[in-house]
Amino acid sequence: MLSSCALPRINAQQRTFLDISLEFLGEYQLPKMKFQDTTVGGLSGITYDRQRDRFYVISDDRSHLAPARFYTLKLDLNNSKLQNAKIENVTFLKTKDGATYPKGSIDPEGIALTPQGTLFISSEGATRELISPFIGEFDLKTGKLTQNLPIPETYIPDSNNEQQKGIQNNLGFESLTLNPTGSLPASGEPIRLFTVTESALMQDKDPLEKDEQGNYKPQITKCRLLHYLISDGPPIILSEHLYSLSPYPPGAMYYGVTELLAIDQGGHFLSLERSFGLTGFGAKIYQIFTGAATDTSRITSLKGEIKAVQPIKKQLLLDLQELGIRLDNLEGMTFGPRLPDGSQSLILISDDNFQEKQITQLLLFRLKTS
């Protein structure tokens, strides 16, 4: 996150958003490899440990190729360039009983480091494999689960053959970010944690409509963003807001929110929207602001026109297709170390889906403030 002395000024024309931009500094591709008898791949989330100058990346392997796990990654950012990446350790996730997760019992996607040196990890949820969505706190050293966050009943898929509510298959908690409310990494320091569903809940999906020519009309996908407060007492949900996914890019077959990253304590975030279609992958980074958004936690369904609901405000920051490079399945995003000029680095990582034709791609940016 940005330190208080480095907070950007508010844009005079649009005071809702911070006056920031991104400068692309380079790409590094992690080679296909094995590490301690595990296949390194499916890296779908990344978080930075500033004290150790290391990154933790979560693999979305559902314990099929090896037990569910995260890796410790060292990045070489000499002269503001991504010159090397080295896997240093692998940590297997464990249940409260100390056992690794059985095959097909977890769908890890998001990861965020707390000031107390623990990790929150989200399991996206997969209805076809009967994997329930959850968000858990894990010990950084042992990988053992210490607590689960409450998940609203509206997010839990029903048991009917024709699903009526809850997350869609593989479209749940892909993103995860947190924002400490204090300044010291002390035990019990309150933490605000955020996640947004990759796509709409089943009960929020609007039916497809066709125009006079028989073509489907563009529609806005209504995702939900959850805001948790975690302190000494039981974790609680403070609020929920409507995140309107941008219209599908031309030719895209899949489109969704894959990452969320807190910028400050004032409700400003970066969001990563990823698409896939016949022409390959695409991605866009938005700046979003939650401050004026309506709390939707008591609204059962967001179908249809909802004039009384103020959605999260968003503004396009960068269309990554303008970089002129091949993009892969970008799913993770985090702030990294300070660059030599004192500016803040931003790193994105792609999930290669354990496919030979895909790559694990690391992209480095400079966050520029005015």
Side-chain angles (χ1 to χ4, degrees):
M1 292 177 296
L2 300 178
S3 64
S4 58
C5 62
L7 288 176
R9 294 197 301 269
I10 300 295
N11 186 305
Q13 294 181 342
Q14 278 190 308
R15 295 183 179 276
T16 296
F17 297 105
L18 304 176
D19 194 1
I20 58 177
S21 60
L22 291 174
E23 177 188 358
F24 180 53
L25 299 178
E27 172 194 16
Y28 180 84
Q29 295 182 14
L30 192 69
K32 304 288 185 183
M33 69 175 73
K34 291 271 191 178
F35 183 84
Q36 295 184 5
D37 296 325
T38 69
T39 301
V40 178
L43 305 182
S44 61
I46 184 169
T47 188
Y48 180 57
D49 187 337
R50 195 172 298 275
Q51 291 186 333
R52 295 184 58 207
D53 189 27
R54 294 295 186 272
F55 295 83
Y56 307 115
V57 289
I58 188 75
S59 171
D60 66 3
D61 181 6
R62 300 175 183 178
S63 289
H64 289 300
L65 301 177
R69 60 203 177 276
F70 68 88
Y71 295 96
T72 302
L73 180 66
K74 169 65 176 175
L75 296 184
D76 183 355
L77 270 60
N78 285 342
N79 300 317
S80 300
K81 299 295 181 183
L82 248 176
Q83 298 180 341
N84 190 32
K86 181 182 179 182
I87 301 290
E88 293 185 336
N89 190 38
V90 60
T91 304
F92 297 113
L93 302 182
K94 300 178 180 67
T95 65
K96 286 186 176 181
D97 295 331
T100 56
Y101 281 85
K103 290 183 179 181
S105 65
I106 186 173
D107 182 17
E109 294 284 356
I111 186 169
L113 178 70
T114 73
Q116 292 85 4
T118 62
L119 288 170
F120 277 95
I121 292 172
S122 63
S123 177
E124 181 175 25
T127 57
R128 294 173 187 169
E129 287 79 13
L130 301 180
I131 302 175
S132 298
F134 76 84
I135 301 171
E137 185 175 15
F138 294 80
D139 185 270
L140 178 62
K141 294 181 180 180
T142 66
K144 187 177 180 180
L145 177 68
T146 58
Q147 69 167 332
N148 280 317
L149 300 188
I151 305 296
E153 183 62 30
T154 50
Y155 290 72
I156 306 300
D158 50 35
S159 57
N160 297 331
N161 292 331
E162 295 187 9
Q163 186 183 346
Q164 300 295 316
K165 75 174 186 73
I167 63 161
Q168 299 182 66
N169 181 59
N170 209 36
L171 294 173
F173 300 136
E174 181 89 28
S175 60
L176 201 62
T177 189
L178 57 84
N179 197 345
T181 58
S183 58
L184 298 175
S187 176
E189 176 190 356
I191 294 170
R192 296 179 185 270
L193 183 143
F194 307 84
T195 184
V196 60
T197 56
E198 185 175 348
S199 189
L201 301 179
M202 286 296 296
Q203 64 267 31
D204 296 335
K205 288 181 62 178
D206 287 311
L208 292 174
E209 297 181 356
K210 292 185 178 181
D211 58 22
E212 295 179 355
Q213 287 73 38
N215 300 316
Y216 285 111
K217 296 179 181 179
Q219 62 178 183
I220 300 298
T221 301
K222 300 164 184 172
C223 307
R224 297 197 188 215
L225 183 147
L226 279 173
H227 175 188
Y228 288 88
L229 176 65
I230 302 158
S231 58
D232 281 339
I236 60 173
I237 298 172
L238 289 183
S239 61
E240 176 197 84
H241 306 292
L242 167 60
Y243 179 104
S244 298
L245 188 66
S246 298
Y248 271 50
M253 296 181 292
Y254 301 99
Y255 193 44
V257 190
T258 59
E259 190 60 288
L260 194 66
L261 182 61
I263 299 178
D264 59 18
Q265 296 181 22
H268 295 99
F269 300 80
L270 298 181
S271 66
L272 177 63
E273 297 186 6
R274 181 269 336 262
S275 63
F276 175 70
L278 297 177
T279 58
F281 289 99
K284 294 179 180 179
I285 297 175
Y286 289 87
Q287 182 185 171
I288 70 170
F289 176 64
T290 62
T294 304
D295 184 357
T296 57
S297 57
R298 296 188 178 183
I299 300 178
T300 304
S301 172
L302 296 174
K303 283 183 180 179
E305 192 173 3
I306 41 177
K307 294 182 179 179
V309 174
Q310 176 66 50
I312 292 169
K313 295 183 181 298
K314 56 190 290 192
Q315 176 178 270
L316 180 63
L317 191 61
L318 178 65
D319 184 344
L320 274 70
Q321 289 188 318
E322 296 176 357
L323 300 180
I325 63 172
R326 170 195 170 185
L327 298 177
D328 208 275
N329 184 28
L330 292 165
E331 293 193 353
M333 179 170 62
T334 187
F335 290 126
R338 292 282 172 180
L339 298 171
D341 65 354
S343 60
Q344 177 64 62
S345 66
L346 178 76
I347 291 96
L348 273 64
I349 194 167
S350 70
D351 171 3
D352 69 351
N353 293 312
F354 297 98
Q355 299 295 316
E356 282 299 321
K357 293 183 178 181
Q358 289 186 240
I359 57 174
T360 298
Q361 178 180 49
L362 289 152
L363 302 181
L364 174 65
F365 297 86
R366 175 185 283 114
L367 182 69
K368 301 171 69 174
T369 62
S370 301

